[in-house]
Amino acid sequence: MEKTFRLGIIGHPVGHSLSPVMHTTAAQITGINLEYDPYDVPPINLGRFVRNIRETGIDGLNVTVPHKVAVMDHLDEITVEAERIGAVNTILREGSRLLGANTDGYGFVTSLVENAKVNPAGKKIFIYGAGGAARAICAALGVMDGVEAVIANRTVGKAEELAARMTAAGASATALGYNANNLVDSVNTADIIVNTTSVGMKGFASDALPALEGIRQGQLVVDIVYRPLVTPLLRRAAVAGADTLDGLWMLIHQGAKSFELWTEREFPANPVRERLLRELGETI
Ligand code: ATR
């Protein structure tokens, strides 16, 4: 009999995750046996749950909020990329050894290259936000040739920390607060603008991002928020004549990389996207 991959996602909460639908759809299309379950694990139970997957026979896990950093203490090995990001979103069990990887930065860069046909190397990139998602994105951009990053965050200290991390890794990065007087200019002179904050997400703060008047034709504007698929930022960018890229592609490519690590099979990105659009209630 063919192997059944036993996979899942740990988070707290995990109810809204698209990962179970994403991976079971990919498995059906690929023709492999795969179970993918959501596990709501409160922080206090994290260590025990992760250590036990050696006995419970789980082959791999995705890790989401709030466990991406804390889970690192319970693994045997961390990939260079996950170490650089300082967080793990994918666990791979190899016998009794647990390997931690991070596919978020890969997912972001791949969505730009494959879906927007823009290579971030050599580009000036304006990033809203300095939280966990921004860390993964900046770590991936920081190792690309000639990227010039400007990180703007409501809490400027977090942007400064992230810019310092990038600079220490040999990349070019500066930090700005939302009240900086050159904010509009920095948006206007960027090639790529990325929102990594929860602003625009359904059910979250209805605040607007600052300095959007700087957006113009010739730029690529990316939102990693995918609920709704067309965020207020992307709508505004389209009106200004900029190109846009939605956050569902980043989600798909990070999942694709995890799927390929676990199963060594290619991930069917296009049909999975159609399935996820239906799941989100978005028309194709
Ligand atoms: P994630 O892991 O999704 O990145 P996070 O680490 O909690 O989540 O980071 C959330 C990001 O969204 C931060 O950059 C946060 O800004 P602060 O560092 O100033 O908190 C940003 N964010 C969340 N709500 C916001 C709001 N209403 N206005 C502006 N920025 C907001």
Side-chain angles (χ1 to χ4, degrees), residues 209-225:
L209 293 166
L212 298 183
E213 57 272 36
I215 296 176
R216 58 171 171 82
Q217 205 176 351
Q219 294 176 316
L220 173 67
V221 178
V222 188
D223 205 328
I224 72 159
V225 170

Side-chain angles (χ1 to χ4, degrees), residues 25 229-230 246 248-249 252 269-284:
T25 303
L229 197 65
V230 182
D246 67 65
L248 193 57
W249 280 121
I252 289 169
N270 288 314
V272 167
R273 180 170 165 102
E274 285 175 25
R275 177 69 186 83
L276 293 182
L277 287 172
R278 283 206 303 282
E279 190 71 17
L280 289 167
E282 299 277 356
T283 47
I284 299 169

Side-chain angles (χ1 to χ4, degrees), residues 65 128-134 153-155 158 178 196-199 205 207 209:
V65 178
Y128 287 102
N153 197 41
R154 178 179 61 178
T155 312
K158 281 166 70 180
Y178 280 1
T196 73
T197 77
S198 45
V199 171
D207 303 347
L209 293 166

Side-chain angles (χ1 to χ4, degrees), residues 9 13-21 38 204 226-227 251 279-280:
I9 181 165
V14 282
H16 288 302
S17 172
L18 287 178
S19 294
V21 175
F204 280 73
Y226 53 83
R227 278 189 179 102
L251 180 83
E279 190 71 17
L280 289 167

Side-chain angles (χ1 to χ4, degrees), residues 37-258:
D37 296 308
Y39 298 101
D40 190 326
V41 180
I44 185 117
N45 294 341
L46 177 68
R48 195 177 45 192
F49 186 95
V50 172
R51 285 191 300 273
N52 278 354
I53 73 172
R54 295 183 182 88
E55 282 79 50
T56 50
I58 289 175
D59 298 300
L61 291 169
N62 279 132
V63 184
T64 189
V65 178
H67 301 317
K68 288 186 180 188
V69 177
V71 79
M72 297 173 83
D73 289 341
H74 308 292
L75 305 174
D76 299 304
E77 199 180 328
I78 308 283
T79 64
V80 173
E81 188 166 18
E83 199 73 69
R84 203 185 299 126
I85 295 168
V88 158
N89 81 331
T90 305
I91 299 172
L92 186 63
R93 181 174 64 80
E94 286 169 343
S96 63
R97 286 184 65 74
L98 302 182
L99 173 71
N102 196 313
T103 66
D104 286 332
Y106 165 89
F108 174 77
V109 171
T110 306
S111 72
L112 262 65
V113 172
E114 285 196 3
N115 307 109
K117 310 288 181 211
V118 170
N119 185 342
K123 300 284 196 308
K124 190 162 179 195
I125 307 180
F126 185 99
I127 297 151
Y128 287 102
R135 259 193 8 210
I137 288 169
C138 288
L141 292 175
V143 293
M144 301 191 78
D145 281 340
V147 166
E148 258 180 79
V150 177
I151 305 164
N153 197 41
R154 178 179 61 178
T155 312
V156 68
K158 281 166 70 180
E160 283 163 355
E161 262 175 53
L162 192 47
R165 274 175 84 116
M166 282 186 83
T167 309
S172 155
T174 52
L176 293 175
Y178 280 1
N179 58 0
N181 54 21
N182 57 343
L183 202 67
V184 176
D185 208 41
S186 296
V187 168
N188 192 249
T189 53
D191 303 303
I192 303 171
I193 295 157
V194 187
N195 174 42
T196 73
T197 77
S198 45
V199 171
M201 201 187 294
K202 200 166 140 192
F204 280 73
S206 58
D207 303 347
L209 293 166
L212 298 183
E213 57 272 36
I215 296 176
R216 58 171 171 82
Q217 205 176 351
Q219 294 176 316
L220 173 67
V221 178
V222 188
D223 205 328
I224 72 159
V225 170
Y226 53 83
R227 278 189 179 102
L229 197 65
V230 182
T231 59
L233 168 66
L234 294 188
R235 189 165 297 122
R236 176 150 189 170
V239 169
D243 293 332
T244 61
L245 178 69
D246 67 65
L248 193 57
W249 280 121
M250 173 178 169
L251 180 83
I252 289 169
H253 290 298
Q254 66 75 33
K257 186 75 178 178
S258 301

